[in-house]
């Protein structure tokens, strides 16, 4: 590790400097197959099992463009208010790295499929900021390397390297903003809000899993500073490995304070790639680029140009679903929420999840209560974003339905949710596997009731004497005996029946 | 008994299909011939006797059971250039880099040959990764010209053409990026066709220059070439640059041409391909061929294609640029040669040292040329300008084909030169492809058909016929007519029996 960097106090940073941001977001599309071959596009799997001659870059193998990926790229472009190219090509980006099978990445260079767009981003206090989009282009993902041994976990000094090409050739869309200027102290927040808005948008469009923890949404943050009131951009750094929304904000803030300290001392910023350290929120230098990397881009001769007809583009425009912010406006009206209530819902990341749960059949109040209370606690405990909890709105809706039909108690329902979060499958499977069904068989319950009454004859007498509230003790005993799997209301009814009260 | 190795593919197919001989007998005769003379010729890098006999048995079995032959050339043996992948059979591309590589898949050409019942005898020698005009750049030693074993058989597909001239195979497959089918055909007195770009799938053809590479048929007669052309051509969904149109009626055209009537056919003589640098014997052979075409009824005119003069320099920017990227994948990570994997070297060092050890001088020269031409700051001047020249050459062809049906020129300016004569002079070597390169740059179809022996050295000369894209059938009509008028040639190849290496 390098020595701890000097940092400037944040208030002083924003007093003396104007930050300039540029955000590059890579999104893995959730198409069935990879970008240029028929291999399954699945996260994980035994290493090197989702591979073929094309995605392994074997001699002689050729790419064929995945039409569904082009469709997703156009839809994303449209949702970001971009122009869609009438004619564009793929290009080869040449550089050597062991996890890139061909040692060039098939990408797009000066002819992206979508360009000149914008995304309106809502900040925590409700202020709306427009982020201009430079371009969105198609490319393929690389494989994954694991460098074993050595101090840094990087290729230099490693004892050996393991390579998994399952991810090689997975379709990616890279979305690049224009420089974001004039945000002052709010720059880190804007960065987070932008990535959040983008994630919500892509999720609503059902084009990607957008899981930052699994790498299906990745953000590189370019940060530079210029003296307050200046207009000439300073030297930038590019911070990679930013794996959560919170980290986006932290990384930008850290770079601002680090760069400001250097500039204030009269130093210069090194143009470099930096890695975000999740543990302490710092960034550390990657490989310094002695010279600007020359990728020797040229048009990909193995693929033909893509010329989406205007009719097709308009057809795709019609498939863009209700966008998250439009949906929020609608739910505010439908659920009669104040601005503040809506904002809280949005800020916890719950609004879209609640809406989706309602869409899946749940009642709005119940859906809200699950996401805002229990599930928010779970997300906090796990230190993940609410949306990154491994439970889907439809699964929450199913749990709510099971409670409403009397098949689960609230307590059991929480256990079912735990099971889903632990990866045990769909709610019904968890109920099955964990044996969580409410004991609704009266004969089983009666046996337990009789036992409890016999064990506490004094309480039974009190109930008989009209002290109905004393039944609580018996209910408790029955619930304990049935390990909580009984419906307390029904137990109470049976007790009263039994003592003849 | 007839010497089966002296028959044409059409004759062999007729005998096999009539069950006068078996495919096994025909195959064995060629295997015996290879065993007898290939030490002296070195056309083959790998002979797959077992695989060939198995394929032959399968054809014989089908015929014995009364099934129709899978194609008009079912049961006929063939020599396959070692740049097309063959599942489980070595595919070296003439390079140490791939010396021990066993491809896990068949190229589309290989697959179509198998489906047509063609018997693959083995893999033929070539300049490393198809870069050269003499096969002297093969890592496994040069192939010798059966007409004069001190001379080169042309390149890069010298092995394929030599195997035909040495009667080791009646059919062969070549690939042509700048003349690698036609120039070897010319100097060995055989027929070679570069189909229209996109006419034959490139899937499984180990790429040298993707926008120029094209596989095609090699044979001793125009009709045989046509039969092979039909077996391998046609749209392939695995190759995005493959054209989705019907295969031109090449067999029918060859039949029509063989009647010897070229009335109404307009032939253009390219005025730029004559004069300084053209061997007098080659020039006179060409003039005699043109006179013969006129006698057959063709209308002959002179046509100027002014930009053809710039084809060679443009080619030596485009082809190396693409090759520098295509050959980047040979990095020791997944397949092929690996050196210095001794625990003391990093993955990056292993990549670099393997490339140093695995590539020959010409391949390295072209990788460096291409890397330079694509570099930022040079791209426009080199790669960009070359692409403009390419467009101008295509326009020259378009204008010419408005006046004439086919263009003709010598295939190559000289007859076969001596082994070693040009190895230290790359520019002299490159001149061998002067007349063939324009058709690669423009993507149109072209053929080399023997025009007899040069009067100054008694070695074969080739007549090049060029046709518009997708009009490959015109080559066969003119080529077959000329071939009949010219009369037999290959019966004059020196007897190789008893000659040792």
């Amino acid at each position: 590790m390098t020595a701890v960097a000097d940092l400037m106090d944040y208030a002083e940073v924003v007093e003396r400097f104007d930050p300039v941001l540029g955000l590059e977001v890579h999104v893995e599309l959730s198409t069935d197959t990879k970008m240029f071959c028929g291999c399954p596009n699945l996260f994980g799997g035994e290493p090197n099992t989702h591979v073929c001659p094309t995605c392994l870059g074997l001699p002689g193998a050729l790419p064929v463009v995945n039409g569904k990926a082009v469709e997703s790229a156009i839809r994303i472009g449209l949702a970001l208010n971009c122009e869609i190219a009438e004619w564009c090509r793929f290009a080869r980006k040449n550089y050597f790295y062991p996890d890139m099978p061909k040692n060039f990445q098939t990408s797009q260079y000066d002819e992206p499929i979508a360009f000149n767009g914008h995304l309106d981003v809502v900040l925590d206090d409700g202020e709306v900021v427009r982020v201009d989009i430079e371009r969105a282009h198609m490319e393929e993902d690389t494989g994954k390397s694991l460098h074993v041994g050595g101090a840094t976990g990087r290729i230099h000094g490693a004892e050996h390297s393991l390579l998994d090409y399952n991810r090689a050739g997975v379709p990616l869309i890279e979305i690049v903003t224009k420089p974001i200027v004039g945000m002052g102290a709010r720059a880190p927040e804007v960065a987070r809000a932008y990535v959040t808005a983008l994630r919500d948008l892509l999720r609503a469009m059902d084009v990607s899993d957008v899981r930052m923890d699994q790498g299906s949404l990745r953000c590189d943050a370019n940060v530079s500073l210029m003296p307050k009131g200046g207009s000439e951009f300073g030297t930038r750094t590019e911070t990679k490995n930013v794996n959560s929304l919170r980290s986006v904000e932290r990384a930008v803030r850290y770079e601002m304070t680090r760069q400001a300290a250097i500039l204030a001392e009269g130093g210069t910023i090194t143009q470099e790639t930096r890695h975000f350290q999740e543990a302490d929120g710092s960034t550390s230098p990657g490989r310094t680029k002695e010279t600007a990397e020359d990728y020797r881009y040229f048009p990909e001769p193995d693929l033909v140009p893509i010329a989406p007809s205007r009719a097709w583009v308009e057809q795709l425009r019609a498939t863009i679903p209700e966008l998250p912010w439009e949906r929020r406006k609608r739910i505010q009206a439908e659920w009669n929420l104040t601005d503040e209530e809506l904002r809280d819902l949005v800020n916890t990341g719950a609004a879209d999840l609640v809406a989706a749960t309602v869409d899946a059949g749940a009642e709005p109040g119940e859906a809200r209560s699950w996401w805002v209370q229990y599930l928010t606690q779970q997300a906090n405990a796990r230190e993940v974003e609410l949306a990154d909890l491994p439970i889907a709105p439809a699964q929450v809706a199913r749990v709510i339905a099971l409670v409403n039909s009397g098949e689960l108690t609230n307590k059991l329902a929480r256990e079912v949710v735990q099971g889903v979060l632990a990866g045990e499958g769909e709610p019904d499977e968890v109920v099955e596997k964990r044996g969580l069904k409410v004991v609704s068989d009266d004969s089983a319950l009666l046996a337990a009731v009789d036992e409890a009454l016999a064990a506490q004859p004094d309480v039974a007498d009190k109930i008989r004497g009209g002290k109905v509230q004393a039944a609580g003790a018996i209910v408790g005993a029955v619930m304990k005996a049935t390990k909580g799997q009984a419906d307390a209301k029904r137990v109470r009814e049976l007790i009263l029946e039994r003592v003849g009260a | 008994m007839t010497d089966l190795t002296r028959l044409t593919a059409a004759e062999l197919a007729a005998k096999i299909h009539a069950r006068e001989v078996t495919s096994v007998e025909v195959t064995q005769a060629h295997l015996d011939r290879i065993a007898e003379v290939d030490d002296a010729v070195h056309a083959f890098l790998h002979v797959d006797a077992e695989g060939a006999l198995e394929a032959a048995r399968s054809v014989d079995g089908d015929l014995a059971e009364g099934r129709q032959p899978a194609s008009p050339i079912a049961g006929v043996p063939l020599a396959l250039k070692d740049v097309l992948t063959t599942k489980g059979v070595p595919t070296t591309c003439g390079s140490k880099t791939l010396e021990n590589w066993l491809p896990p898949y068949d190229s589309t050409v290989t697959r179509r040959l198998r489906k047509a019942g063609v018997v693959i005898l083995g893999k033929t020698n070539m300049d490393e990764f198809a870069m050269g005009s003499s096969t002297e750049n093969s890592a496994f030693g040069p192939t010798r010209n059966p007409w004069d074993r001190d001379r080169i058989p042309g390149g890069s597909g010298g092995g394929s053409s030599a195997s035909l001239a040495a009667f080791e195979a009646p059919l062969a497959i070549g690939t042509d990026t700048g003349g690698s089918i036609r120039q070897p055909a010319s100097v060995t007195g055989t027929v070679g066709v570069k189909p229209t770009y996109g006419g034959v799938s490139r899937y499984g053809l180990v790429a040298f220059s993707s926008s120029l590479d094209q596989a095609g048929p090699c044979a001793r007669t125009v009709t045989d070439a046509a039969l092979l052309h039909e077996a391998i051509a046609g749209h392939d969904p695995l190759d995005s640059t493959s054209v989705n149109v019907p295969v031109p009626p090449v067999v029918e055209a060859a039949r029509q041409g063989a009647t010897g009537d070229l009335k109404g056919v307009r032939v253009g003589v390219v005025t730029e391909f004559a004069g300084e640098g053209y061997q007098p014997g080659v020039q006179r052979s060409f003039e005699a061929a043109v006179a013969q075409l006129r006698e057959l009824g063709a209308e002959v005119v002179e046509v100027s294609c002014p930009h053809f003069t710039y084809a060679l320099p443009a080619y030596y920017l485009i082809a190396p640029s693409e090759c520098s990227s295509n050959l980047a994948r040979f990095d020791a990570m997944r397949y092929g040669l690996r050196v210095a994997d001794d625990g003391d070297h990093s993955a990056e060092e292993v990549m670099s040292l393997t490339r140093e050890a695995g590539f020959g001088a010409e391949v390295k020269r072209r990788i460096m040329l291409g890397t330079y031409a694509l570099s930022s700051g040079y791209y426009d001047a080199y790669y960009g300008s070359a692409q403009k020249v390419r467009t101008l050459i295509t326009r020259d062809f378009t204008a010419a084909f408005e006046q004439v049906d086919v263009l003709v020129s010598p295939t190559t300016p000289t007859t076969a030169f001596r082994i070693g004569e040009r190895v230290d002079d790359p520019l002299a070597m490159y001149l061998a492809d002067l007349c063939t390169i324009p058709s690669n740059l423009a993507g149109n179809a072209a053929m080399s058909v023997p025009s007899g022996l040069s009067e100054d050295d008694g070695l074969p000369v080739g007549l090049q016929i060029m046709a518009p894209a997708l009009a490959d059938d015109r080559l066969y009509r003119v080529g077959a007519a000329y071939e009949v008028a010219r009369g037999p040639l290959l019966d004059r190849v020196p007897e190789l029996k008893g000659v040792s290496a």
Side-chain angles (χ1 to χ4, degrees), chain B residues 198-247:
Chain B
V200 176
S201 171
R202 290 188 298 115
Y203 189 77
L205 190 180
V206 180
F208 157 20
S209 180
S210 311
S211 73
L212 302 164
D213 295 343
Q214 183 59 216
C218 306
R220 289 194 291 263
T221 71
V222 171
T223 299
D224 282 2
L227 291 168
L228 182 53
H229 191 135
E230 275 200 348
I232 59 172
H235 181 243
D236 178 12
L238 296 177
D239 175 2
S240 306
T241 60
S242 147
V243 290
N244 196 357
V245 297
V247 177

Side-chain angles (χ1 to χ4, degrees), chain A residues 377-411:
Chain A
Q377 285 164 22
Q378 299 306 307
N380 290 342
R382 288 155 197 252
E383 295 186 339
V384 297
E385 297 293 327
L386 192 54
D388 289 339
L389 277 179
I391 188 164
Q395 293 171 320
V396 175
R398 176 62 187 155
V399 171
I400 292 170
L402 289 171
V403 172
N404 289 340
S405 68
E407 285 167 78
L408 289 179
T409 62
N410 275 326
K411 181 166 178 289

Side-chain angles (χ1 to χ4, degrees), chain A residues 112-433:
Chain A
I113 188 147
F115 50 94
N116 280 346
H118 63 262
L119 180 61
D120 287 333
V121 172
V122 187
L123 303 186
D124 291 350
D125 65 357
E127 189 188 331
V128 176
V129 171
R130 174 161 291 188
V131 173
D132 288 325
I133 306 291
E134 172 88 29
R135 58 190 280 157
H137 73 246
M138 300 178 278
E139 60 186 31
E140 58 180 336
D141 213 340
T142 61
K144 283 182 183 169
S145 327
L146 183 63
H147 303 296
V148 182
T152 59
R154 295 192 200 145
I155 190 164
H156 282 291
E159 276 169 20
H160 63 274
S161 299
L162 298 172
L163 296 162
D164 176 7
Y165 295 102
N166 282 352
R167 199 182 67 177
V170 163
L172 283 183
I173 303 295
E174 181 176 337
I175 301 161
V176 182
T177 66
K178 290 185 177 162
I180 304 168
V181 294
M183 294 302 146
R186 302 194 74 169
E189 186 194 343
V190 168
R192 171 174 53 75
Y194 165 74
V195 180
T196 309
L198 196 54
R199 184 197 63 177
D200 293 350
L201 168 66
L202 297 169
R203 182 185 287 127
M205 292 176 64
D206 197 23
V207 290
S208 168
D209 297 336
V210 286
R211 293 279 299 270
M212 289 190 90
D213 58 328
Q214 291 186 353
S216 57
L217 182 90
R218 311 196 280 271
C219 177
D220 300 337
N222 290 279
V223 178
S224 68
L225 296 179
M226 53 187 179
K228 193 87 188 167
S231 60
E232 200 176 315
F233 294 174
T235 304
R236 66 189 163 83
T237 60
E238 180 179 7
T239 302
K240 291 183 179 290
N241 196 30
V242 190
N243 293 329
S244 72
L245 294 171
R246 193 165 148 258
S247 300
V248 174
E249 183 166 357
R250 289 170 78 201
V252 170
R253 192 183 168 100
Y254 182 87
E255 267 304 293
M256 285 170 64
T257 56
R258 187 188 69 85
Q259 291 183 16
I262 294 170
L263 293 171
E265 293 277 306
T268 51
I269 305 302
T270 309
Q271 180 163 346
E272 63 186 353
T273 298
R274 298 182 69 85
H275 294 271
F276 183 67
Q277 308 298 328
E278 199 71 52
D280 62 0
S282 69
T283 68
S284 62
R287 188 171 49 171
T288 308
K289 295 172 180 173
E290 283 167 17
T291 50
E293 191 98 47
D294 186 350
Y295 293 119
R296 293 174 284 117
Y297 282 101
F298 72 105
E300 167 59 277
D302 284 330
L303 293 170
V304 290
I306 292 173
S309 75
R310 296 302 97 178
W312 187 38
V313 171
E314 289 316 307
Q315 227 174 325
L316 292 176
R317 197 189 297 278
T319 68
I320 309 289
E322 184 181 27
L323 298 174
W325 42 94
E326 290 166 356
R327 177 195 253 173
R328 280 171 209 155
K329 273 184 229 156
R330 179 171 61 81
I331 59 177
Q332 183 177 17
E334 281 179 15
W335 302 350
N336 200 19
L337 302 175
T338 64
D339 283 355
E340 204 164 278
E341 282 170 330
L342 177 69
R343 199 153 58 237
D344 286 346
L345 213 50
V346 170
N347 288 347
T348 54
D352 298 326
L353 297 164
V354 173
T357 308
V358 171
D359 288 346
E363 189 271 317
E366 286 172 330
R368 248 176 91 190
S369 137
W370 271 97
W371 284 107
V372 172
Q373 292 166 28
Y374 186 68
L375 288 167
T376 296
Q377 285 164 22
Q378 299 306 307
N380 290 342
R382 288 155 197 252
E383 295 186 339
V384 297
E385 297 293 327
L386 192 54
D388 289 339
L389 277 179
I391 188 164
Q395 293 171 320
V396 175
R398 176 62 187 155
V399 171
I400 292 170
L402 289 171
V403 172
N404 289 340
S405 68
E407 285 167 78
L408 289 179
T409 62
N410 275 326
K411 181 166 178 289
L412 288 176
R414 284 196 286 273
E415 257 193 75
V416 172
V417 167
Q418 283 300 337
V420 174
L421 292 176
E424 292 167 28
E426 290 298 313
D428 291 285
E429 291 172 73
V430 177
V431 168
E432 188 68 30
K433 280 186 214 155

